[in-house]
Amino acid sequence: MTYDRLATASAALAGRLAGAGRVAVWATPTPETVVAVVAALRAGVPAVPLNPKTGTRELAHIVADSEPTAVLAGAGDTLPPVLDALDRIDVDTAGEGARATLPEPSPESPALIVYTSGTTGPPKGAILPRRAIAASLDALEDAWQWTGDDVLVHALPLFHVHGLILGVLGPLRRGGSVRHLGRFSTDGVARELSSGGTMLFGVPTMYHRLAEALDGPGADGLAKALAGARLLVSGSAALPVHDHERIAAATGRRVIERYGMTETLMNTGVRADGEPRPGTVGAPLRGVELRLVEEDGTVLPGDGTGPDTIGEIQVRGPNLFTGYLNRPDATAAALTEDGWFRTGDMATRDADGYVRIVGRKATDLIKSGGYKIGAGEIENALLDHPGVREAAVTGEPDPDLGERIVAWVVPADPAAPPSEQELADHVAAQLSPHKRPRTVRYLDALPRNDLGKIMKRSLHG
Ligand code: MCA
Ligand code: AMP
């Protein structure tokens, strides 16, 4: 799709959206999603991107919470009954209409509401203002010397920050190109990077699969394609040093990492002209203040650059969200009085300011395939299954996914426990396929302390 086509199709659609309140976008990895989001941005109408694989319970929550007036979808998309009450607007990528210049909304007005998981309860909608998106993308322009000549290749989903904001709005803001693979494959990456692609964005699972493929048949073509890229960028979760080194050994190129969050957009990154040190996520991006803080709120000396100091990362800057939709309690808990956002990520800093993420405060947050998943939401879904009496969910290390979701289940009837597949299907249908347990372990009782609290740390395989 050319810029000219996108401008015309999005203007035609924007004309229909003006004053619509909020709109949901059925965010398939297609040009329709791009036209829908750009149209909403032009109309100044906040868009709520929906994962098309979201299950019944989670979708019902998102719709009830964000109250969109309409859902934008491709003409051929089948929408689930939960969305029946909304107006459906089919997105026409060939749409024609007057290219009226729409007034630019204020920088503080919400552009996107992106749902993100917490430790307990259903996902919260992070309100992302136009100012945050612009600031974060412009900081990446500075860090990566990102220009209109860049051709970005990726296969990230278009309902999260990584794929939608960095992966689509990023190239649009620079006037560059994006080639979305539709679905991740190492062949697709090799094909696009060897035919003009200049940058690759991916989650560590994708780089792990590239590292594996570099050991297999067709490795030479893939190695050449990766070596030819200007930048290979990983984010959304920690890139294992082993995969980093395997890719470097096979291609002579080092993957650079950047660190972000739905609520903060991008915080740190290794610069295009910086040193890609494995295991670090680089220095704070332009405009971002970052400090490490102890449990009691004490700021670590040198904002954490002292030796042997570990603290929680707090960030402040124009890249931050404005709050969680309908959740003033959660918003207040996430921010300090003077506007620092508590990330929950634990880190140390090298003497030159590079940040090394070493862990997470909450054991009940799991990062699997680059998706953030709350143990609590899965436990609640499992408890809804008639065959489950008690449930606890943990994350275990996984070479491909980073962490794998494990469900510990006390069956209602020990003689006839629900099968692993049945429970995985149940969670996939209620929440989302990427939240399904990959392993189920059956117990007679969950380990509890004297107060009756489940002792998750004693649950391991
Ligand atoms: C399997 N499937 C099922 C079931 N089992 N569907 C329904 N019920 C079941 N029981 C389907 C899945 O939906 C999927 O379909 C296919 O089978 C394979 O599933 P799975 O093994 O889970 O997928 P995968 O191929 O292993 O996915 C790996 C992946 C993916 C491609 C790396 O995890 C991914 O796209 N991750 C990106 C996450 C991301 O963008 N995070 C950004 C958020 P199908 O194959 O059709 O899909 S973090 C963020 O935004 C911050 C700001 C940041 O820092 O970036
Ligand atoms: P999300 O809420 O899905 O936006 O995920 C944000 C979380 O992903 C952060 O709080 C980090 O725990 C993690 N994350 C993102 N990028 C990186 C990275 N490069 N290295 C380690 N963790 C990361």
XYZ file of all heavy atoms in Angstrom, residues 214 222-230 232 243-255 276:
184
model
N 19.800 -20.944 12.049
C 21.178 -20.699 11.599
C 22.046 -21.940 11.785
O 23.169 -21.995 11.304
C 21.778 -19.499 12.350
C 21.247 -18.131 11.903
C 21.631 -17.050 12.904
C 21.739 -17.765 10.507
N 20.157 -17.339 5.200
C 19.629 -16.601 6.353
C 20.738 -15.769 6.998
O 20.550 -14.598 7.335
C 19.022 -17.579 7.365
C 18.461 -16.955 8.649
C 17.347 -15.957 8.343
C 17.940 -18.051 9.599
N 21.914 -16.369 7.155
C 23.039 -15.648 7.775
C 23.381 -14.413 6.943
O 23.615 -13.330 7.495
C 24.250 -16.566 7.893
N 23.375 -14.567 5.637
C 23.702 -13.438 4.759
C 22.650 -12.337 4.878
O 22.958 -11.147 4.935
C 23.747 -13.926 3.298
C 25.036 -13.569 2.607
C 25.127 -14.187 1.231
C 25.242 -13.059 0.216
N 25.025 -13.476 -1.146
N 21.383 -12.772 4.920
C 20.294 -11.793 5.023
C 20.386 -11.011 6.329
O 20.266 -9.783 6.343
C 18.942 -12.511 4.928
N 20.629 -11.708 7.437
C 20.722 -11.027 8.741
C 21.955 -10.121 8.779
O 21.910 -9.012 9.327
C 20.780 -12.056 9.877
C 19.500 -12.860 10.107
C 19.759 -14.042 11.047
C 18.382 -11.987 10.686
N 23.052 -10.598 8.180
C 24.286 -9.806 8.184
C 24.093 -8.512 7.384
O 24.731 -7.500 7.671
C 25.434 -10.622 7.590
N 23.201 -8.555 6.404
C 23.001 -7.391 5.535
C 22.101 -6.317 6.139
O 22.043 -5.197 5.628
N 21.402 -6.642 7.223
C 20.479 -5.658 7.804
C 21.256 -4.562 8.518
O 22.340 -4.800 9.050
C 19.529 -6.346 8.775
N 20.674 -3.370 8.530
C 21.308 -2.266 9.262
C 21.157 -2.476 10.767
O 22.063 -2.232 11.534
C 20.629 -0.960 8.826
C 21.345 0.297 9.272
C 20.687 1.527 8.666
N 19.450 1.923 9.320
C 19.365 2.515 10.512
N 20.451 2.766 11.189
N 18.194 2.849 11.025
N 19.268 -5.175 13.818
C 18.439 -6.287 14.295
C 18.063 -5.910 15.725
O 18.943 -5.797 16.577
C 19.231 -7.597 14.289
C 19.916 -7.987 12.970
C 20.786 -9.233 13.167
C 18.861 -8.255 11.885
N 21.436 -17.038 22.783
C 20.903 -16.795 21.434
C 21.600 -15.600 20.794
O 21.890 -15.598 19.595
C 19.383 -16.583 21.488
C 18.646 -17.894 21.774
O 19.167 -18.962 21.369
O 17.576 -17.864 22.421
N 21.852 -14.564 21.596
C 22.591 -13.392 21.102
C 23.931 -13.844 20.501
O 24.283 -13.479 19.377
C 22.810 -12.413 22.266
C 23.606 -11.202 21.902
N 23.101 -9.928 21.978
C 24.875 -11.062 21.443
C 24.016 -9.063 21.567
N 25.105 -9.734 21.258
N 24.657 -14.672 21.255
C 25.996 -15.089 20.808
C 25.921 -16.021 19.596
O 26.769 -15.972 18.717
C 26.759 -15.779 21.959
C 27.093 -14.850 23.130
C 28.076 -13.716 22.761
O 28.521 -13.622 21.594
O 28.368 -12.894 23.660
N 24.902 -16.881 19.566
C 24.786 -17.782 18.410
C 24.573 -16.993 17.125
O 25.133 -17.293 16.078
C 23.596 -18.748 18.617
C 23.910 -19.852 19.612
C 23.050 -21.061 19.359
N 21.648 -20.844 19.695
C 20.682 -21.701 19.401
N 20.943 -22.819 18.737
N 19.430 -21.460 19.756
N 23.719 -15.953 17.213
C 23.443 -15.137 16.030
C 24.691 -14.348 15.636
O 25.051 -14.263 14.460
C 22.223 -14.216 16.280
C 20.962 -15.069 16.412
C 22.072 -13.183 15.160
C 19.727 -14.321 16.886
N 25.390 -13.821 16.641
C 26.610 -13.058 16.349
C 27.653 -13.958 15.679
O 28.312 -13.550 14.712
C 27.163 -12.451 17.636
N 27.786 -15.192 16.180
C 28.793 -16.091 15.629
C 28.471 -16.447 14.174
O 29.356 -16.521 13.320
C 28.888 -17.359 16.482
N 27.181 -16.642 13.880
C 26.803 -17.096 12.538
C 26.732 -15.954 11.528
O 26.862 -16.183 10.324
C 25.455 -17.820 12.601
N 26.503 -14.733 11.999
C 26.256 -13.634 11.048
C 27.263 -12.496 11.148
O 27.317 -11.643 10.265
C 24.867 -12.997 11.290
O 24.888 -12.335 12.564
C 23.757 -14.043 11.291
N 28.005 -12.460 12.253
C 28.893 -11.310 12.466
C 28.128 -10.075 12.916
O 28.712 -9.012 13.087
N 26.817 -10.211 13.095
C 25.995 -9.068 13.523
C 25.488 -9.293 14.935
O 25.109 -10.405 15.285
C 24.770 -8.914 12.597
C 25.093 -8.490 11.195
C 25.819 -7.164 11.181
N 25.129 -6.136 11.934
C 24.193 -5.354 11.416
N 23.862 -5.456 10.157
N 23.613 -4.436 12.159
N 25.417 -8.227 15.714
C 24.880 -8.348 17.064
C 23.489 -7.752 17.135
O 23.239 -6.675 16.583
C 25.808 -7.653 18.066
C 27.123 -8.396 18.216
C 27.857 -8.004 19.465
N 29.020 -8.857 19.644
C 28.990 -10.013 20.312
N 27.874 -10.432 20.882
N 30.084 -10.752 20.423
N 22.603 -8.467 17.789
C 21.240 -7.973 17.991
C 21.306 -6.894 19.060
O 22.021 -7.047 20.055
C 20.327 -9.128 18.451
C 18.918 -8.630 18.738
C 20.313 -10.243 17.413
N 26.700 -2.969 21.374
C 25.641 -3.938 21.715
C 26.144 -5.001 22.688
O 26.571 -6.067 22.288
C 25.278 -4.553 20.364
C 26.441 -4.307 19.470
C 27.317 -3.261 20.082
